[in-house]
Amino acid sequence: MLKLLHANIGYLSKQNHVLIENVNVELKPGSTTALIGINGSGKSTFLKTLCRIIPVLSGEVYLENIPISKFSALEIAKKIAFVSTDIIKTKHLTAYELTALGRFPFTGKFGILNAEDHNIVENSLKLVGISNLRNKFVDKMSDGERQRLMIARALAQDTDILMLDEPASFLDLENKYLVYDILKSAAKRENKAILYSTHDLNIALKTADNLMVINNKELLFGNTEDVILAGIFNSIFDPNKIIFDIESLDFQIISTAHTEITFNCEVSSLSALIINALSRIGYLPVSHKTHLEISCNTNLHNATYLLAVGGKLEKFSTVGGLIEALQKI
């Protein structure tokens, strides 16, 4: 498969500019790995180094236990498929024709597809759910359709390793989940090693088998749950601004609220919603007694909210009504 030993990742200028130091990792077949890091940490550079688009600064990248520098570009294309962040603006090509370009490492200089090539192209379109769009021109496709098409082209390359740079950027939530589900299915079904960079942390934590996290020029790699338990996310971001909540697998903005309000609600899902609303308008929910107090019944879908202000009790049937009343205090 693909592994790095004592590799320094970065780019060349007047001197080596190292972004990630002493990387020692090996991609695992049959699994998805999400590459995470803040802007400028080196995610795209890391992916391009693994594909030999740019050279490793020091150390070595091995492909099938052979230094990747020993392979020709065509040989690498038969083993690694890469989907960049570039927006495809081509005209006069259908979805089928663009997907067929994924067969270029195998079709010779004339690019003639045989029956097996056509079957692979058809299957790739089917895997990403756009067989019905095979004759649609690329420039007429939506962002979500075009992104799935780029994955289809990479799948048509029929490599053991697939790498993608921000595969779900600019997509709506439904299409984001769809893209990640396609990648996960491809990894399991075809035993591929799939590595993708992403800023969709909430989705990645729930769908990726493994995580690679870049932090202060170091790369932490492991099973998703093990990486979470290592507490890495509370060191990536400023803990005075954002923290990672391990129970919800979500990131929370540190509230700057100073007005305390007593809050009591036994339904955890309802409680989380109300706490979010209170924090948004500058209140800090607490358990001890204050001059403001909120309580609610235990019926999630027919809730009643009680607000006590200086002994005066008001009742609300919606969170919006409760929040509006608080904003007037």
Side-chain angles (χ1 to χ4, degrees), residues 261-264 292-297 303-309 312-317 322:
I261 185 168
T262 305
F263 177 64
N264 178 37
L292 297 171
E293 184 173 353
I294 292 176
S295 60
C296 60
N297 65 22
T304 300
Y305 311 96
L306 302 177
L307 172 63
V309 184
K312 181 182 177 181
L313 189 65
E314 293 184 72
K315 183 182 295 186
F316 303 91
S317 60
L322 172 66

Side-chain angles (χ1 to χ4, degrees), residues 119-147:
N119 287 335
I120 291 173
V121 172
E122 291 283 7
N123 188 51
S124 298
L125 289 168
K126 182 180 179 180
L127 289 175
V128 302
I130 57 172
S131 293
N132 60 316
L133 303 178
R134 64 194 311 280
N135 295 319
K136 189 172 184 177
F137 286 102
V138 176
D139 61 326
K140 303 299 182 183
M141 301 178 80
S142 69
D143 288 341
E145 291 170 343
R146 194 157 43 235
Q147 192 61 47

Side-chain angles (χ1 to χ4, degrees), residues 57-96:
L57 298 182
S58 62
E60 190 58 80
V61 179
Y62 289 93
L63 180 57
E64 298 178 350
N65 294 317
I66 301 171
I68 200 169
S69 57
K70 302 294 184 182
F71 290 86
S72 69
L74 182 61
E75 289 172 328
I76 292 174
K78 291 180 179 180
K79 301 177 182 296
I80 303 174
F82 177 63
V83 179
S84 72
T85 55
D86 296 336
I87 299 174
I88 299 299
K89 298 180 179 179
T90 184
K91 295 183 179 180
H92 313 303
L93 277 181
T94 64
Y96 187 93

Side-chain angles (χ1 to χ4, degrees), residues 83 142-151 166-168 171 179:
V83 179
S142 69
D143 288 341
E145 291 170 343
R146 194 157 43 235
Q147 192 61 47
R148 280 189 278 170
L149 176 60
M150 299 312 298
I151 295 174
E166 293 286 348
L171 299 184
V179 164

Side-chain angles (χ1 to χ4, degrees), residues 164-179:
L164 309 96
D165 197 359
E166 293 286 348
S169 58
F170 308 115
L171 299 184
D172 60 41
L173 187 61
E174 182 178 356
N175 276 298
K176 284 180 185 289
Y177 273 102
L178 180 59
V179 164

Side-chain angles (χ1 to χ4, degrees), residues 1-21:
M1 197 50 78
L2 188 71
K3 64 181 178 181
L4 296 87
L5 291 179
H6 307 296
N8 281 352
I9 309 297
Y11 55 88
L12 295 171
S13 52
K14 293 182 179 179
Q15 58 184 11
N16 288 354
H17 187 86
V18 179
L19 296 173
I20 316 170
E21 298 176 332

